[in-house]
Amino acid sequence: MLFKQALDNQLDRWIADVREHANLPVKLRLWNGSEFALGKFDQPDVTLTVREAAALPLLLVPSLDNLGEAYVQQKIDFDGKLSDIIKVAYGFSTAATRSAGGMLAKVAQHFTHTKQEDKAAIQYHYDVSNEFYQLWLDPRMVYSCAYFETGTEDLATAQLKKIDHILTKIRVQPGQTLLDIGCGWGALVIRAAQKFGARCVGITLSQNQFDLATARVKEAGLQDRIEIRLQDYRDTTGQFDRITSIGMFEHVGKDNLTGYFARIRDLLTDDGVAMNHGITATDPDSGQVPMDGSGFMDRYVFPQGELPHIGMVLHTLQRGGLEAFDVELLRRHYALTLRHWADNFEANSETIRKMVGETKYRIWRVYLAGCSHAFTTEQMSIHQVVCHKAGRSADHLPWSRRYIYDTTLAAPA
């Protein structure tokens, strides 16, 4: 009885704190039928159902990590529009931080990123099944930030524009060699060979991606111009006129960025051009204290993922022997990309549930919608950085950025 009374008192204090610090349009429903309003509203936007008393310890310290954990374990449920649910989750987290005086402790993460660990992390995320990703990605299965030239494009058009934007930006010419680090299901190398006339190598650590990318290359009749390898970038040899890395360096690790960029330098010809496209932290200290939700992401979504600030990216790129000459922010583009993915995911929710089970369904559901909110509110960002070997003449580079947008200078269709 004493324990129950203490828990009830703690719950009462928590409800009062949420009302004071967040005033959320949420109705809280407990396993015993009790209901509480967590703000002032006529009708709640979200109903939060606590399915068992064991969920209360996670709820009473409502960080994004704890809320995500409780949702995935089916200890709590949310009813309402997905966008409202995500806003409410962030509201809980903000209220908890304010209530604690901004002193909620977070432990800095450190990962070793051995080849074996990185391969296991990649296969955990990308080898769910190709059919799973086909349900909510575009037909080319491009799993990275799209490029919305006007903001009105559909997802498939924006993903193709992203690929062309990258290949035009690095000035791929017929006959040049191109290495795509983290090639996914092969969309970029196929486009580079078909439209720009490049000879390509794509590398991935995902067996499922390797299998489908290889099949797609064969289907397109491009085996003589494209090679797909199941290979770590640290084991890649040779030299290439152009190198792309899209949505891959998040898996490298902040301590390994200098070595990563040095490897790109070694693989690049003297007058070659490389481009790194990746998610970045908005914390100028490069996430020395991890953002709320990073524990959930590491456990359930991207094991060992680490996000550096763009300042760290440019610093380590220079230390690795490269010089950046073009940097573009695409944060709004990724927020919109993720909204498209989340909408597709919701539209196929029943099929996805049957395919991967309730747990994985819940993981990816909150991951996609949560990341869209994080990019919208500048909790995460993304940059494209175009670079070449440092300490060399820049005479081979254009004088302005006009070539990126002037269709008369672009490669033939």
Side-chain angles (χ1 to χ4, degrees):
M1 290 294 294
L2 289 177
F3 175 78
K4 182 180 182 301
Q5 184 63 48
L7 194 61
D8 288 344
N9 291 339
Q10 190 176 2
L11 179 61
D12 290 341
R13 288 195 299 272
W14 176 79
I15 291 172
D17 282 340
V18 172
R19 287 172 176 165
E20 177 183 355
H21 294 289
N23 188 28
L24 298 175
V26 176
K27 179 170 66 177
L28 173 66
R29 179 182 294 143
L30 301 184
W31 61 94
N32 59 11
S34 301
E35 294 185 351
F36 305 89
L38 300 184
K40 297 178 181 179
F41 50 80
D42 294 326
Q43 293 293 328
D45 292 340
V46 174
T47 297
L48 168 59
T49 300
V50 182
R51 301 177 63 179
E52 56 185 80
L56 280 181
L58 292 172
L59 188 63
L60 294 175
V61 186
S63 65
L64 294 180
D65 289 330
N66 285 350
L67 289 172
E69 180 90 10
Y71 177 72
V72 166
Q73 293 181 359
Q74 302 179 51
K75 293 180 177 179
I76 64 173
D77 273 317
F78 292 97
D79 293 308
K81 290 173 56 179
L82 186 57
S83 57
D84 290 335
I85 291 170
I86 296 302
K87 289 178 184 177
V88 161
Y90 276 91
F92 277 129
S93 175
T94 301
T97 302
R98 289 174 180 169
S99 178
M103 297 299 289
L104 291 180
K106 298 179 184 179
V107 179
Q109 298 162 305
H110 180 78
F111 305 116
T112 54
H113 289 281
T114 65
K115 292 179 183 179
Q116 293 78 12
E117 288 172 339
D118 284 351
K119 183 175 182 179
I122 293 297
Q123 292 185 345
Y124 169 84
H125 185 87
Y126 294 100
D127 286 353
V128 178
S129 78
N130 291 334
E131 294 75 18
F132 168 73
Y133 286 101
Q134 285 171 334
L135 286 170
W136 49 274
L137 295 178
D138 66 295
R140 288 181 172 82
M141 296 178 68
V142 183
Y143 190 23
S144 55
C145 174
Y147 180 70
F148 296 88
E149 190 174 6
T150 67
T152 61
E153 295 89 348
D154 61 29
L155 181 61
T157 299
Q159 288 292 14
L160 184 59
K161 285 189 174 184
K162 184 269 297 296
I163 294 173
D164 283 354
H165 184 57
I166 288 171
L167 296 174
T168 301
K169 188 183 283 191
I170 63 174
R171 299 169 61 240
V172 176
Q173 302 299 314
Q176 288 184 333
T177 54
L178 181 146
L179 171 67
D180 189 21
I181 302 174
C183 67
W185 292 276
L188 183 137
V189 290
I190 291 173
R191 185 69 168 174
Q194 285 180 329
K195 179 179 177 179
F196 293 77
R199 305 182 68 84
C200 306
V201 172
I203 62 173
T204 178
L205 291 177
S206 163
Q207 184 68 53
N208 283 357
Q209 288 185 340
F210 170 81
D211 292 341
L212 184 54
T214 300
R216 287 182 162 185
V217 168
K218 183 178 180 180
E219 182 182 355
L222 295 169
Q223 304 97 308
D224 61 329
R225 295 161 70 182
I226 300 174
E227 179 187 0
I228 305 296
R229 300 176 184 170
L230 192 63
Q231 186 177 60
D232 192 292
Y233 76 95
R234 287 163 286 195
D235 296 327
T236 305
T237 58
Q239 285 201 313
F240 300 86
D241 300 304
R242 299 292 186 265
I243 297 176
T244 52
S245 178
I246 303 170
M248 176 272 172
F249 98 131
E250 299 90 335
H251 302 283
V252 167
K254 288 177 284 190
D255 292 344
N256 302 322
L257 285 176
T258 297
Y260 162 75
F261 287 120
R263 189 77 197 115
I264 289 178
R265 183 192 185 281
D266 291 343
L267 292 168
L268 201 59
T269 59
D270 286 346
D271 290 333
V273 178
M275 195 220 62
N276 188 84
H277 166 122
I279 301 172
T280 50
T282 54
D283 170 20
D285 295 324
S286 287
Q288 295 304 313
V289 177
M291 67 179 184
D292 194 8
S294 60
F296 175 85
M297 292 285 286
D298 178 60
R299 179 172 181 180
Y300 289 108
V301 186
F302 281 110
Q304 301 204 54
E306 296 184 73
L307 304 183
H309 186 267
I310 184 60
M312 174 179 278
V313 174
L314 296 176
H315 176 71
T316 53
L317 182 145
Q318 190 80 39
R319 289 184 63 191
L322 297 168
E323 178 188 36
F325 64 86
D326 188 276
V327 180
E328 184 172 10
L329 170 69
L330 295 175
R331 178 172 64 82
R332 289 189 303 164
H333 296 255
Y334 215 170
L336 183 52
T337 303
L338 281 152
R339 285 201 294 274
H340 279 288
W341 289 345
D343 288 345
N344 291 344
F345 194 92
E346 291 294 292
N348 291 285
S349 59
E350 291 310 310
T351 302
I352 291 172
R353 265 195 175 103
K354 293 175 183 176
M355 178 182 292
V356 301
E358 185 68 23
T359 297
K360 274 192 167 62
Y361 163 78
R362 288 181 176 231
I363 290 170
W364 257 261
R365 185 181 189 226
V366 297
Y367 150 62
L368 293 173
C371 284
S372 178
H373 183 86
F375 279 101
T376 298
T377 55
E378 204 197 351
Q379 297 181 59
M380 291 193 294
S381 194
I382 184 167
H383 290 84
Q384 288 183 350
V385 181
V386 183
C387 55
H388 68 150
K389 285 188 175 182
R392 299 189 60 81
S393 169
D395 289 344
H396 64 286
L397 301 178
W399 286 99
S400 77
R401 300 184 84 248
R402 180 183 173 189
Y403 76 97
I404 300 173
Y405 308 104
D406 189 340
T407 56
T408 64
L409 300 179

